[in-house]
């Protein structure tokens, strides 16, 4: 991705590394990370924008590249549970049980941080969020770098998260040193974020590991109000990321709750230039406006896998108003619901 700046010098360019086709790709990504550079890496959830988590200035560049608000902390990625110990004050027994059951995988656990974690990572909080991803290329690059990697999603702040290397470059080309292509992400929405830093385990962000699965291991898990509802103005967010505009395409998105028939009737009655539907497979036959489906109504995993790509594709097609059929907010569907309602800026319509 070569680019010339106006003076004719070669400006910073993003190096494209393909994990499947190039044997040296992972080693190159790891080398750049050790040098304090930024590399987007594939994970099973979404692509992450990684830096050496123990290098404060390198981590600060993540915020710059994304345009991320300074008070929104990052998740630290490790390759094995043993690497957790030096990053936190103490690992309670419940945390070990969770790691045993869900790591490597899409679960992030928040605990009190140790002195090793730079303030840039925790954004001034006393806690740190840690996850062990399962994607083989993520595992390989963390191991080769030989240090934990701080990585938020590799999108410009506020945009839908990228689930392919192409979508990473759309937002980040020229802003980061490299992208490691590991194919499309399997889960498609960001990790489940669980805080074990308080008296009761608290779900701050739903994801591929469901609240139901967490309760099987922990018994009680509280659902933070910000998971499904808009924070009241001025209210403190348990997870700072929850208070920002998020996952938003350029188009205005309106989320519609209700059965297939009323959904199609409503959308068809509001057709016009720039209007499209984000729908389920079952809705397609009834719609007389352009649409993109994000999966079967009962298949929340398919919806999670497709959601961000479909939101970006609707922008590519130039739509300005998207009526989105709401997923069921349970199981993995709660994660899809949480992202879509934010993409809609909490604009929701309920049809009988
Ligand atoms: P991202 O990886 O960009 O999707 O963002 C990570 C999410 O985890 C954001 O919503 C953060 O606010 C949240 N997060 C990270 N670290 C912490 C922490 N120590 N306490 C609470 N939330 C956190
Ligand atoms: Mg993000």
């Amino acid at each position: 991705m070569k680019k010339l700046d106006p003076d004719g010098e070669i400006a910073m360019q993003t190096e494209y590394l393909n994990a499947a086709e190039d044997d040296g790709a992972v080693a190159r990504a790891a080398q750049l990370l050790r040098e304090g550079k930024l590399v987007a890496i594939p994970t099973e959830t979404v692509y992450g924008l990684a830096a050496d988590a123990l290098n404060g200035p390198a981590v600060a560049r993540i915020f710059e590249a994304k345009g991320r608000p300074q008070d929104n902390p990052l998740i630290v990625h490790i390759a094995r549970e043993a690497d957790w110990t030096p990053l936190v004050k103490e690992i309670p027994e419940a945390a070990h049980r969770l790691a045993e059951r869900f790591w490597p995988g899409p679960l992030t656990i928040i605990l009190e941080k140790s002195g090793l974690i730079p303030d840039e990572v925790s954004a001034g909080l006393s806690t740190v969020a840690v996850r062990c991803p399962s994607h083989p290329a993520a595992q390989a690059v963390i191991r080769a770098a030989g240090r934990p990697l701080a990585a938020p999603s590799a999108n410009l702040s506020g945009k839908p998260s990228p689930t392919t290397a192409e979508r990473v470059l759309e937002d980040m080309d020229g802003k980061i040193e490299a992208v490691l292509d590991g194919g499309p992400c399997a889960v498609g929405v960001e990790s489940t974020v669980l805080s074990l830093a308080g008296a009761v385990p608290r779900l701050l962000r739903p994801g591929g590991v469901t609240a139901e699965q967490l309760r099987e291991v922990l018994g009680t898990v509280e659902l933070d109000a910000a998971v499904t509802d808009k924070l009241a103005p001025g209210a403190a967010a348990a997870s700072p990321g929850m208070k920002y505009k998020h996952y938003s395409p350029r188009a205005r998105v309106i989320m519609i709750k209700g059965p297939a028939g009323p959904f199609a009737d409503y959308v068809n009655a509001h057709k016009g230039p720039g209007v499209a539907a984000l729908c389920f497979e079952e809705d397609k036959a009834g719609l007389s406006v352009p649409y993109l489906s994000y999966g079967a109504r009962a298949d929340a995993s398919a919806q999670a896998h497709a959601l961000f790509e479909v939101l970006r594709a609707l922008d590519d097609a130039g739509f300005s108003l998207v009526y989105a059929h709401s997923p069921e907010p349970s199981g993995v569907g709660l994660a899809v619901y949480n992202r879509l309602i934010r993409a809609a800026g909490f604009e929701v319509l309920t049809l009988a």
Side-chain angles (χ1 to χ4, degrees):
M1 313 279 142
K2 285 204 192 310
K3 269 197 198 134
L4 292 180
D5 71 19
D7 303 327
E9 280 173 50
I10 293 183
M12 203 195 99
Q13 48 189 272
T14 295
E15 195 176 323
Y16 175 81
L17 302 166
N18 193 316
E21 288 167 13
D22 172 4
D23 284 346
V26 164
R28 172 73 183 144
Q31 178 203 350
L32 289 167
L33 288 161
R34 278 196 306 272
E35 291 170 359
K37 307 272 170 56
L38 303 185
V39 181
I41 62 168
T43 82
E44 70 279 20
T45 59
V46 301
Y47 274 74
L49 180 42
D52 175 355
L54 307 182
N55 179 341
V59 171
R61 283 194 53 223
I62 294 178
F63 287 82
E64 231 175 88
K66 281 181 60 88
R68 185 176 177 99
Q70 297 288 340
D71 67 348
N72 193 3
L74 307 180
I75 295 171
V76 174
H77 295 72
I78 56 176
R80 49 180 102 71
E81 195 192 333
D83 295 337
W84 202 5
T85 312
L87 306 179
V88 292
K89 280 213 172 118
E90 191 192 344
I91 303 178
E93 192 264 330
H96 282 301
R97 273 188 284 137
L98 289 169
E100 179 134 322
R101 166 95 187 260
F102 299 113
W103 281 2
L107 176 65
T108 295
I109 301 172
I110 294 174
L111 290 170
E112 290 297 323
K113 71 170 190 167
S114 76
L116 264 188
I117 300 292
D119 282 338
E120 286 86 349
V121 169
S122 47
L125 298 178
S126 64
T127 52
V128 64
V130 178
R131 170 166 113 80
C132 177
S134 66
H135 193 295
Q139 279 278 333
V141 78
I142 300 166
R143 284 170 198 262
R147 60 205 68 192
L149 300 180
S153 50
N155 50 283
L156 290 174
S157 199
K159 292 258 159 229
S161 302
T163 55
T164 63
E166 291 73 25
R167 293 301 191 188
V168 171
L169 285 170
E170 206 172 275
D171 283 13
M172 291 296 158
D173 191 17
K175 295 191 166 74
I176 61 176
E177 277 79 13
V179 59
L180 179 65
D181 190 345
C185 302
V187 177
V189 293
E190 303 83 348
S191 60
T192 303
V193 177
L194 179 79
S195 176
L196 292 183
V200 180
R202 200 170 180 80
L203 183 71
L204 303 184
R205 178 174 77 182
V209 171
T210 65
E212 294 82 352
Q213 288 175 309
L214 293 172
R215 289 196 179 106
E216 281 170 23
V217 176
L218 296 173
T220 313
V221 175
E222 284 178 357
L223 217 61
D224 198 80
V227 168
T228 50
D229 296 309
K230 191 176 184 168
L231 272 177
S239 183
M242 289 292 193
K243 71 182 178 210
Y244 294 109
K245 184 173 149 76
H246 225 141
Y247 319 118
S248 306
R250 282 189 301 278
R252 174 182 173 198
V253 177
I254 300 177
M255 190 197 225
I256 299 194
K257 297 183 177 181
F263 173 74
D265 290 346
Y266 183 89
V267 176
N268 292 339
H270 289 79
K271 74 172 123 198
V275 173
L278 170 57
C279 67
F280 299 124
E281 285 299 303
E282 297 89 329
D283 297 326
K284 284 154 76 169
L287 288 167
S288 63
V289 301
Y291 58 76
L292 281 178
S293 158
Y294 68 126
R297 185 162 196 162
D299 191 349
S301 297
Q303 294 158 26
H305 178 75
L307 180 68
F308 289 139
E309 181 54 35
V310 169
L311 286 174
R312 283 180 178 250
L314 287 162
D315 268 355
D316 292 344
F319 294 111
S320 52
L321 175 57
V322 174
Y323 292 105
H325 205 169
S326 171
E328 295 303 325
S330 62
V332 175
L334 183 62
V336 183
Y337 180 94
N338 169 275
R339 305 313 187 272
L340 189 57
I341 201 167
R342 282 175 171 72
F346 292 91
E347 216 179 329
V348 182
L349 207 81
T350 304
L351 306 172

